[in-house]
Amino acid sequence: MFVIAKRTDDRVQKIKDIFQKLDKSVTVFYIDCFDNFDSLEQGESTALTYFLMKNEGQPLFFNNLPLPPYWEITTDGLEGYVYDQGKKKARIQFRQPHSDRTIARVYWYDEVGKCIWIDYYSAYGWKICRDFLDEEEKTVLRTFYNSDGRDLLVEWLQQDKIAYFDSQKNPTIYPNRHSFLLKVLEDIVERENILILGEEILSLLPSSKKDNYYYLANDKTEADKVADQVSQVLVLSPRSSEDSPYKHLYGCALDRPVPVKPQAMIITNSEWIEGLEELLLHFPEIDFHVGALTEMGSRLTNLSVYSNLYLYPGMSYDFFQELLDKSTFYLDIQHDIEIFESSSCAVEKGILLYTLHHLTHHEKYKKLETCCDTVDTLVKNLRQILNCPQLYGRLVARQSEQLEIARLEDYRTLFDRWEKKCDCL
């Protein structure tokens, strides 16, 4: 499947995660990315890198950068440096995470220490691009290479022109980035099954190929706008009305056994978390992770004396997702507004939610068995699960059914049907 999106966002990550769990290949193409292409992950592409694609290899470790004899490479852990007889010749920018020390960019310097060009390396370990800089160290010319080192694209940034070279080295000139993007999209729709994320993308695609297009909508309103321009629409939200003609799939519940050391998570915008100290006292066998966007008040920091409490002030969204993936329970028991749509993210992943009737942030949670009237009831229910871990799976299954959370097999069935249909066209 080939996914076309404007830029990376939550929907892109959800689709990538689902395809990974299904063990299906997927390529994500970004239409609004003409820079920072060295940050692309494996399986991601843009107009400028589409014809360079080679899905083999690993990021290049900094010590493996090709160099003349006797040149040296060092690192301070954050960046790498190239020296020739003590003179700095280049600076190496690492890919994320920096601890892997793989190459994203290499900044090369002349004899007086001025940067004269920048090399970009792909997630597959080969140099895909070189920027040539002017006296003010601004990019004036950009050349893209295939894995064999052959020039495939040249971009003149000041003139906004692009030259594409075919296998015989014959150039085709495009007057601007937009015209080149249209050419690439035309090539994609001839070869691939297309899943579209974003209404504006449809205007860039030939309408004659609509039978090959599938669309991912956030809700029925968005789906109604595009339904006549694509073959089928998938809506990533629960069915809000019985008359919806679209396929609705929401979340992706996976089987999660209760680990030896269960993990509970709370994201808060307030220092007031109902019953937190009681939970810490009753469940020393559970690690409680509490995150916030800001600094935390003393009502929380004073509880840091408990060894099973972990506080994360200034939490980022990516770190929230990382911790959530490791969580056994999500506790919607904090006062004030919800941050990161955290409880929704939890139930979409099939994490068991516990909440209090008077604090729950979504009305639909009140019908769940795990919506409790008091903290005492919540404690008793949690203890039942720890005493009988098999109960966890049954409660998650009922939670998923009540909140209309999709199963992994629901996605497999849908995507298999789409692929078979496109193979018959």
Side-chain angles (χ1 to χ4, degrees):
M1 184 66 72
F2 211 96
V3 176
I4 301 181
K6 187 171 184 180
R7 61 179 67 89
T8 187
D9 58 19
D10 290 346
R11 281 194 296 178
V12 170
Q13 192 57 53
K14 286 178 183 178
I15 286 297
K16 289 175 66 176
D17 288 346
I18 289 169
F19 271 86
Q20 182 179 23
K21 293 180 176 80
L22 291 172
D23 198 25
K24 285 179 173 287
S25 62
V26 62
T27 298
V28 181
F29 181 92
Y30 300 115
I31 65 168
D32 194 17
C33 182
F34 284 89
D35 296 292
N36 299 323
F37 29 79
D38 55 309
S39 64
L40 295 173
E41 299 176 359
Q42 293 191 355
E44 296 182 333
S45 181
T46 72
L48 293 176
T49 63
Y50 173 69
F51 292 108
L52 318 178
M53 288 181 63
K54 174 186 174 184
N55 298 324
E56 299 174 6
Q58 297 295 326
L60 183 66
F61 188 61
F62 83 107
N63 245 4
N64 296 330
L65 178 69
L67 292 174
Y70 309 115
W71 286 26
E72 298 177 294
I73 296 181
T74 65
T75 180
D76 60 7
L78 298 177
E79 294 182 319
Y81 305 94
V82 176
Y83 289 93
D84 175 29
Q85 297 182 352
K87 190 175 187 65
K88 187 163 74 172
K89 305 298 291 185
R91 175 173 64 87
I92 302 171
Q93 178 179 315
F94 295 149
R95 299 179 67 86
Q96 294 288 352
H98 289 166
S99 57
D100 289 348
R101 299 183 181 181
T102 57
I103 298 176
R105 302 183 187 186
V106 182
Y107 297 80
W108 296 96
Y109 302 109
D110 64 11
E111 291 301 316
V112 296
K114 179 176 289 188
C115 186
I116 52 176
W117 67 74
I118 305 170
D119 289 339
Y120 298 80
Y121 284 77
S122 75
Y124 300 102
W126 43 282
K127 183 173 72 178
I128 58 171
C129 174
R130 172 169 286 181
D131 279 1
F132 295 88
L133 311 184
D134 63 11
E135 289 294 319
E136 298 178 352
E137 299 190 6
K138 294 181 179 179
T139 303
V140 292
L141 183 70
R142 178 175 283 169
T143 302
F144 289 83
Y145 313 96
N146 66 9
S147 57
D148 297 324
R150 181 174 69 84
D151 294 9
L152 278 187
L153 288 173
V154 175
E155 182 182 21
W156 294 268
L157 277 78
Q158 292 175 335
Q159 291 82 17
D160 193 23
K161 289 183 179 180
I162 294 176
Y164 170 70
F165 296 88
D166 62 19
S167 58
Q168 303 301 314
K169 299 184 180 180
N170 298 315
T172 302
I173 306 298
Y174 296 88
N176 49 53
R177 286 177 169 181
H178 183 73
S179 62
F180 183 69
L181 171 63
L182 294 180
K183 164 60 181 173
V184 174
L185 291 173
E186 182 181 319
D187 187 86
I188 290 172
V189 299
E190 289 292 335
R191 303 180 184 208
E192 309 286 352
N193 307 323
I194 306 299
L195 179 59
I196 300 165
L197 280 65
E199 187 179 352
E200 65 273 31
I201 295 170
L202 286 166
S203 64
L204 302 174
L205 304 177
S207 58
S208 60
K209 295 289 185 179
K210 63 175 285 187
D211 287 343
N212 291 350
Y213 303 158
Y214 299 89
Y215 190 92
L216 200 66
N218 281 321
D219 51 42
K220 183 176 180 296
T221 301
E222 183 182 358
D224 288 339
K225 294 179 181 179
V226 302
D228 62 347
Q229 302 176 64
V230 298
S231 175
Q232 190 173 343
V233 178
L234 170 62
V235 183
L236 288 182
S237 63
R239 188 179 296 275
S240 57
S241 61
E242 293 300 322
D243 62 345
S244 174
Y246 310 112
K247 180 71 174 179
H248 288 252
L249 290 178
Y250 170 59
C252 185
L254 300 173
D255 293 334
R256 292 172 179 266
V258 178
V260 176
K261 188 72 171 176
Q263 309 293 308
M265 191 167 188
I266 304 167
I267 302 296
T268 185
N269 195 51
S270 164
E271 63 179 337
W272 296 87
I273 299 177
E274 194 89 359
L276 178 57
E277 187 165 13
E278 294 175 61
L279 292 168
L280 293 167
L281 285 166
H282 278 95
F283 299 103
E285 66 268 58
I286 298 179
D287 287 338
F288 291 84
H289 302 270
V290 179
L293 290 177
T294 60
E295 293 299 314
M296 294 179 169
S298 59
R299 290 187 65 86
L300 287 177
T301 56
N302 289 345
L303 296 177
S304 58
V305 295
Y306 292 96
S307 61
N308 57 335
L309 176 65
Y310 299 85
L311 300 177
Y312 306 96
M315 174 178 275
S316 69
Y317 182 77
D318 288 343
F319 187 52
F320 154 67
Q321 289 288 348
E322 182 182 332
L323 283 179
L324 190 62
D325 285 337
K326 302 174 184 176
S327 297
T328 318
F329 306 102
Y330 186 85
L331 306 180
D332 182 23
I333 56 175
Q334 78 282 3
H335 293 255
D336 209 337
I337 61 172
E338 185 174 58
I339 302 298
F340 292 149
E341 298 182 342
S342 49
S343 65
S344 296
C345 291
V347 298
E348 284 183 31
K349 292 175 180 283
I351 297 168
L352 189 59
L353 173 82
Y354 270 97
T355 185
L356 294 171
H357 194 275
H358 65 288
L359 286 179
T360 186
H361 287 82
H362 297 275
E363 191 69 23
K364 61 186 178 182
Y365 295 162
K366 292 183 178 180
K367 62 184 178 183
L368 298 175
E369 299 170 62
T370 51
C371 181
C372 305
D373 291 328
T374 65
V375 174
D376 286 343
T377 305
L378 193 157
V379 168
K380 291 176 183 177
N381 288 356
L382 270 178
R383 181 54 64 190
Q384 285 180 339
I385 291 176
L386 297 185
N387 291 339
C388 181
Q390 298 86 345
L391 182 59
Y392 182 87
R394 294 199 290 270
L395 285 172
V396 169
R398 291 201 285 268
Q399 171 181 284
S400 297
E401 182 179 351
Q402 289 175 296
L403 298 179
E404 301 180 50
I405 307 298
R407 299 172 301 117
L408 189 60
E409 287 307 307
D410 297 329
Y411 289 98
R412 187 187 304 279
T413 300
L414 177 67
F415 293 144
D416 283 349
R417 187 166 70 247
W418 285 1
E419 288 169 357
K420 287 177 183 177
K421 178 183 176 182
C422 287
D423 288 342
C424 294
L425 293 175

